[in-house]
Amino acid sequence: MRTPIIAGNWKLNKNRAEAEVLAKGVVEAVKDAKGVEVILCPVFTALETVARVVAGTNVKLGAQDVYWEETGAFTGEVSGSLLKDIGCTYVIVAHSERRQFFGETNETANKKVKAVLKNGLTPILCVGETLAEREAGKMEAVVSAHVRHGLVGLSVAELEQIVIAYEPVWAIGTGKTATPQQAQDVHALIRSLLKEIGGETVAAKMRIQYGGSVKPDNVKELMAQPDIDGALVGGASLKADSFAALVKF
Ligand code: PGA
């Protein structure tokens, strides 16, 4: 059985005071939630604040990005060991906004996945096609490349720890959700790729989240799909009540 995983990606929102309020609201609202993993991913500057709030609760801390080197002359970057030091257990890797605006490639995604694993943290590797790619019939090729190249050179034991997030770019922040069937079709494709890469047992264990305008009114149907194991949530994670409603799908 795969434990469902609901993660809030706060993106570039919330200063420390706001993050504290939101994290406290979430902790209170989901304190009785069982059988589901709950993760909050604030901006780097609010990680410590949120780490204090979630300490000793059933809510975990994640970061939105990482750099693959540990230390050195890499101005502006943050390493996996620093994220671990501050209390993170999850790290989002290669979010489509990183791919679109900050030059993230499948190669850098793979380096980051490895760096995250090396520090004993769990990567959430984001994959997904743009609208133009989908309309040009390239969805399968793009998603396959994101998955295959993102996971190059990993052992079965490492693969098992990775979470994949399928986020069609056309559904992110647009209010346009993939239908449960559209999402399920791609999740099934990803699961079959995982089977090719790591074998049946590992593919059955790996969790695949859906992301893209997940809201309290569509989460249930999405989560009912056999290959959807959770949600990576942007907009609806910025309010404690809507995020808690997702956790309690
Ligand atoms: P959204 O963002 O829920 O606002 O569409 C999802 C994401 O980018 O992770």
Side-chain angles (χ1 to χ4, degrees):
M1 242 331 255
R2 300 183 291 266
T3 305
I5 174 169
I6 310 287
N9 172 12
W10 294 358
K11 308 191 179 182
L12 182 46
N13 293 289
K14 307 288 175 190
N15 63 25
R16 285 177 306 159
E18 294 162 342
E20 182 165 358
V21 171
L22 177 54
K24 281 183 173 162
V26 169
V27 164
E28 175 59 26
V30 307
K31 65 175 191 282
D32 299 322
K34 294 212 168 56
V36 54
E37 256 187 284
V38 184
I39 298 147
L40 299 181
C41 305
V43 290
F44 285 134
T45 53
L47 280 172
E48 187 166 17
T49 303
V50 176
R52 280 205 207 99
V53 175
V54 303
T57 74
N58 58 348
V59 176
K60 294 173 182 166
L61 187 67
Q64 298 176 14
D65 191 23
V66 66
Y67 189 58
W68 55 85
E69 296 290 348
E70 277 306 318
T71 57
F74 304 105
T75 303
E77 295 298 331
V78 172
S79 66
S81 58
L82 294 179
L83 296 176
K84 187 175 185 169
D85 179 54
I86 212 158
C88 289
T89 47
Y90 284 83
V91 183
I92 298 171
V93 172
H95 187 279
S96 64
E97 286 148 19
R98 304 286 330 160
R99 294 184 191 260
Q100 264 184 297
F101 306 131
F102 302 102
E104 190 86 72
T105 64
N106 288 326
E107 287 65 39
T108 58
N110 181 246
K111 286 183 179 180
K112 291 180 178 187
V113 164
K114 287 174 175 161
V116 171
L117 288 168
K118 204 172 106 200
N119 282 288
L121 307 174
T122 301
I124 298 177
L125 173 64
C126 299
V127 306
E129 82 287 0
T130 62
L131 185 60
E133 288 165 341
R134 177 168 277 254
E135 285 177 349
K138 291 183 186 155
M139 180 277 286
E140 203 166 321
V142 170
V143 171
S144 302
H146 285 177
V147 172
R148 284 186 197 284
H149 296 155
L151 299 178
V152 160
L154 300 174
S155 69
V156 167
E158 287 172 323
L159 285 170
E160 238 176 68
Q161 297 163 48
I162 295 169
V163 176
I164 306 286
Y166 169 58
E167 299 202 304
V169 178
W170 45 272
I172 294 178
T174 57
K176 202 173 162 191
T177 326
T179 65
Q181 192 56 52
Q182 273 176 323
Q184 166 56 28
D185 289 348
V186 184
H187 280 235
L189 163 73
I190 294 171
R191 194 143 343 254
S192 71
L193 290 166
L194 296 176
K195 203 158 133 183
E196 274 177 46
I197 297 166
E200 191 140 5
T201 313
V202 79
K205 282 188 190 164
M206 287 177 71
R207 291 178 294 177
I208 309 171
Q209 295 177 299
Y210 169 78
S213 298
V214 178
K215 302 270 176 329
D217 62 4
N218 60 26
V219 67
K220 220 178 171 140
E221 254 192 305
L222 287 162
M223 290 300 292
Q225 302 303 313
D227 289 298
I228 298 184
D229 308 311
L232 181 55
V233 187
S237 73
L238 294 173
K239 293 221 161 76
D241 55 352
S242 56
F243 186 64
L246 299 180
V247 170
K248 294 170 185 166
F249 68 89

